Amino acid sequence: MSIKLNYNNMMSSVLGSQGITDGEIESLKPALLKAHATVEQSRGKGMQGWMDSPYNQEELIERINGVAKNVRSKCDAFVVLGIGGSALGATALFGALKHLYYNELPREKRNAPRFYVIDNADPERMNALLDIIDVDNAVFNVITKSGATGETMSQYLIVMDLLTKKLGDRANERIIATTSSNKGNLIKLAQKQNFTTFYIDDGVGGRFSVLSPVGLLPAAVIGIDVAELLRGARDMDERCKNNDIAVNPALAIAALQHISMNKGKNIGVMMPYADSLKYFADWYAQLWAESLGKEHDNDGKTVNAGQTPVKALGVTDQHSQVQLYNEGPYDKVITFLEVENFKNDYTIPDGCEDYADVNFLCGHTLGELMNNELFATRYNLTRRGRMNYTVSMDKVNEYNIGALIYLLQMQTAYAGALLNINAYDQPGVEGGKNATYALFGRKGYEDKAREMAHAPKDSKKYIV
């Protein structure tokens, strides 16, 4: 496995007083051993069903590949209808493993449908999609475990209405449902309408679902080798079964972030130096924020835990955010994602011989430029005492992406155990959902509606 963690630039031997000492890591070892044991003891149980995903899906992968082959043969567009964990993982896989202008390629180069993810309730987004696809030449993958996600089910109602008007009784051929097998609205609809259906295990929450049918089916439709994704995840899991941070990179990162949070580093920046990994920062932002941002710990104590994730992209954000990271508050840890070898490279041709501050680039490659800029950014941050570490891979492929996904999920599980919080619930999200239901007059939310009716009114004094 090519994935490596380099955390020299987190340590006091490099950063001085801003860094972490070997003694601090040594002092944390009992807690690390306990956190590791806690995660292992819950493997496959409760909401840690996602830990079985690399191992128990062999027959399912065969079915996924069969359905994907059929979809590729009968449509020009494949559309995911989902939000949050039902959309971010598929988006990250698509961005990482397919051509960066995939939808603009001719069909003979894609060998698969165009791919779209509609992950918001913005009406302009839905209208824009319907301007560029023919619904009767598309397949829609509706993804919601509960079947009650307002945004997703609104999209479903719009699409199903259009399909029924065009295809009549054959509309169901254009819908694939990914949902719970035993509860919620979507499974009832799927059974009634005879949709092709895939199931999300009860122990797999949305933000941990990318290696389930939630992410694997869309990936397979667009030609990603999903078996290789799971092989990479399995091999990373083998590393994570070890409770030594010298072997287990996920446990090491959790330790570093835990110590950093206790030092006031309440912002975590993920900065990939590859356009292909841009949307991994989006997926990770949900994973880290929703898992760790908790008001109470497992003992009921108010802790207001968590670290705010920030998305950045190298080299682009060297020209914007990096100024703040270098000279602003000492409240951040930067995670660099490094790709050692790009799938394609481009040699910069000769030219501008009279301009030395341009000509020096000639004969070098864009890959060299990317990686030298990463080295320079990392060097400058370190020189200024700014915490950073690097997760690198030799190349972006299915195997390494599967391993990276599992690394970040395990890191999150360990961090939750270290913080003594429930990394798998999201009561803060549910509060907003319930308020929305009340505004729409949904049955059962009358008390919430009455509560909201008594909310303080906006004062004109503070409206400009």
Side-chain angles (χ1 to χ4, degrees), residues 229-249:
L229 287 171
L230 295 180
R231 189 171 74 88
R234 282 195 301 273
D235 286 356
M236 178 56 72
D237 187 45
E238 288 303 313
R239 293 174 69 177
C240 291
K241 287 176 181 176
N242 195 303
N243 63 11
D244 185 350
I245 65 169
V247 178
N248 183 339

Side-chain angles (χ1 to χ4, degrees), residues 358-404:
V358 176
N359 185 255
F360 78 95
L361 294 166
C362 299
H364 296 285
T365 69
L366 289 179
E368 284 181 86
L369 181 58
M370 285 287 285
N371 285 335
N372 281 340
E373 296 234 36
L374 167 57
F375 185 92
T377 301
R378 189 165 50 203
Y379 166 78
N380 202 44
L381 286 165
T382 304
R383 183 177 67 86
R384 291 173 172 272
R386 310 296 173 143
M387 284 187 167
N388 66 89
Y389 63 90
T390 301
V391 177
S392 64
M393 63 182 74
D394 62 346
K395 56 188 173 182
V396 176
N397 58 23
E398 284 93 339
Y399 177 80
N400 284 335
I401 290 300
L404 179 63

Side-chain angles (χ1 to χ4, degrees), residues 3-261:
I3 290 194
K4 300 188 294 286
L5 166 66
N6 181 344
Y7 61 93
N8 276 277
N9 297 342
M10 296 290 289
M11 303 305 293
S12 62
S13 57
V14 175
L15 295 182
S17 61
Q18 290 294 327
I20 296 168
T21 66
D22 288 331
E24 286 174 306
I25 291 178
E26 189 66 31
S27 297
L28 190 63
K29 274 190 176 179
L32 287 174
L33 293 174
K34 181 180 178 183
H36 185 273
T38 297
V39 172
E40 281 298 316
Q41 287 162 9
S42 297
R43 175 181 289 270
K45 301 174 186 175
M47 292 307 296
Q48 281 183 217
W50 59 271
M51 292 183 72
D52 287 340
S53 296
Y55 300 99
N56 65 359
Q57 300 188 99
E58 190 172 334
E59 289 184 12
L60 179 61
I61 292 305
E62 199 171 319
R63 180 169 175 252
I64 283 174
N65 284 331
V67 170
K69 182 179 179 181
N70 182 50
V71 169
R72 285 196 297 273
S73 72
K74 73 178 185 183
C75 73
D76 180 62
F78 185 80
V79 183
V80 168
L81 305 179
I83 198 166
S86 296
L88 289 167
T91 302
L93 291 175
F94 173 64
L97 296 168
K98 301 310 292 183
H99 191 287
L100 291 174
Y101 294 103
Y102 171 89
N103 283 344
E104 281 71 49
L105 291 172
R107 176 73 191 222
E108 58 269 22
K109 287 192 174 183
R110 280 186 278 114
N111 295 315
R114 291 177 290 152
F115 181 71
Y116 302 96
V117 177
I118 305 300
D119 62 349
N120 208 346
D122 188 328
E124 294 189 16
R125 189 176 185 87
M126 178 59 77
N127 276 282
L129 174 74
L130 297 174
D131 278 342
I132 60 169
I133 69 166
D134 296 319
V135 292
D136 52 347
N137 196 19
V139 170
F140 298 85
N141 185 194
V142 186
I143 307 175
T144 163
K145 191 174 181 181
S146 69
T149 307
E151 301 86 354
T152 303
M153 294 310 292
S154 295
Q155 295 160 359
Y156 161 78
L157 289 165
I158 291 168
V159 166
M160 194 61 183
D161 179 63
L162 292 170
L163 287 170
T164 302
K165 287 174 180 174
K166 286 209 169 191
L167 300 176
D169 292 342
R170 294 178 50 243
N172 64 344
E173 298 173 10
R174 298 292 172 172
I175 300 285
I176 299 174
T178 304
T179 188
S180 169
S181 64
N182 52 53
K183 56 189 174 184
N185 301 318
L186 187 52
I187 184 58
K188 295 173 187 174
L189 279 169
Q191 292 168 345
K192 181 179 179 180
Q193 301 281 1
N194 198 28
F195 297 149
T196 298
T197 307
F198 289 92
Y199 300 123
I200 308 168
D201 189 275
D202 286 346
V204 178
R207 57 189 177 273
F208 289 87
S209 68
V210 62
L211 295 179
S212 78
V214 170
L216 297 180
L217 175 64
V221 167
I222 55 178
I224 291 170
D225 187 338
V226 294
E228 273 295 282
L229 287 171
L230 295 180
R231 189 171 74 88
R234 282 195 301 273
D235 286 356
M236 178 56 72
D237 187 45
E238 288 303 313
R239 293 174 69 177
C240 291
K241 287 176 181 176
N242 195 303
N243 63 11
D244 185 350
I245 65 169
V247 178
N248 183 339
L251 189 62
I253 296 172
L256 297 168
Q257 291 283 21
H258 184 78
I259 295 170
S260 301
M261 283 186 258

